[in-house]
Amino acid sequence: PFLREINGGRNCENPAGIRPPGWRLHGFDLDLETCARTASAQEHVVGFKWGSEVYNYSAYMRIAQSEAHGQLKPRAPVQLAQLYPPDTEFKCEIFMVDKWGNIPKLKLDHLENQTTFQSRRLVAPQLGAATAFHHGITNGAQKQEFHVCVQRRALGKFVRKVVPEFWFCYLPKNQLAKCENDMRDYTIQGIAVFV
């Protein structure tokens, strides 16, 4: 997609707006490649998010406007170093949860210098009764289907002229078909409720 088509929103979630649990890493040397390698080394990964709470807005606008006016043909890949200033602290959220809702332990064995990153667990959202029913949670075992399908901005961000943060959401390729089905079902449910 074009850079101007990427919304950069903070929320990576399923069609119903539920964000999966997992782990968050942050550090100054935590580039996108490291985040992706870390996510691929984990079990039960349903997606990941990478970015920062600061970015170079003027550089973003230069690239987006040149794309809009067809000045980048053939289109060259955007260098992420253009979007983020030097000494940016990055965050990598790896969404990982097994079918019972448990968050597996984070493995960092593949990293050469693990001490440059700090990590903390992302807490699973509290599910209401309707959501719990939708996710197949019964009076015993829980079977939750957390996944990442959409990237959204918080509503409050739309009233601001310049949003200071910029994020990228990723999901495993094998989840794409399920996401498309879930998005269609969620839209149909919304239309049925509205009618």
Side-chain angles (χ1 to χ4, degrees):
F2 287 102
L3 187 61
R4 61 187 162 82
E5 296 169 344
I6 298 173
N7 72 20
R10 163 182 293 270
N11 302 320
C12 306
E13 52 202 19
N14 72 7
I18 299 173
R19 187 188 73 186
W23 291 87
R24 174 185 291 159
L25 297 164
H26 61 95
F28 292 97
D29 297 324
L30 188 54
D31 59 9
L32 176 58
E33 182 181 353
T34 303
C35 182
R37 277 192 297 117
T38 303
S40 66
Q42 312 305 316
E43 297 178 0
H44 306 293
V45 172
V46 296
F48 72 93
K49 176 177 88 172
W50 177 86
S52 178
E53 292 168 347
V54 296
Y55 78 107
N56 188 333
Y57 178 76
S58 59
Y60 167 81
M61 288 305 296
R62 277 196 308 273
I63 297 167
Q65 288 172 351
S66 61
E67 287 179 342
H69 296 101
Q71 295 173 10
L72 294 180
K73 290 187 177 180
R75 186 172 41 147
V78 173
Q79 300 300 316
L80 292 177
Q82 295 176 274
L83 294 180
Y84 297 100
D87 299 325
T88 297
E89 182 177 30
F90 293 104
K91 291 183 180 175
C92 170
E93 293 185 3
I94 302 172
F95 306 115
M96 44 196 289
V97 56
D98 65 19
K99 65 181 181 178
W100 306 112
N102 300 314
I103 304 171
K105 184 178 178 183
L106 184 66
K107 301 175 192 171
L108 299 176
D109 303 337
H110 66 286
L111 295 177
E112 294 177 10
N113 189 359
Q114 300 176 20
T115 60
T116 60
F117 309 121
Q118 295 183 9
S119 63
R120 75 173 180 87
R121 187 179 294 242
L122 296 171
V123 180
Q126 297 296 317
L127 302 179
T131 306
F133 176 78
H134 176 73
H135 283 274
I137 301 173
T138 58
N139 289 335
Q142 296 184 359
K143 184 178 180 184
Q144 302 177 17
E145 292 187 310
F146 289 110
H147 54 280
V148 173
C149 282
V150 294
Q151 182 171 1
R152 295 182 174 130
R153 287 194 179 280
L155 288 176
K157 302 294 184 185
F158 287 101
V159 299
R160 300 179 64 174
K161 185 176 179 182
V162 176
V163 178
E165 58 190 3
F166 201 87
W167 306 92
F168 296 90
C169 295
Y170 297 87
L171 72 153
K173 286 183 180 177
N174 60 2
Q175 290 184 12
L176 189 56
K178 177 169 176 42
C179 279
E180 290 173 347
N181 288 336
D182 288 352
M183 290 291 291
R184 186 181 64 248
D185 292 347
Y186 190 74
T187 303
I188 291 171
Q189 288 175 10
I191 293 170
V193 169
F194 184 72
V195 173

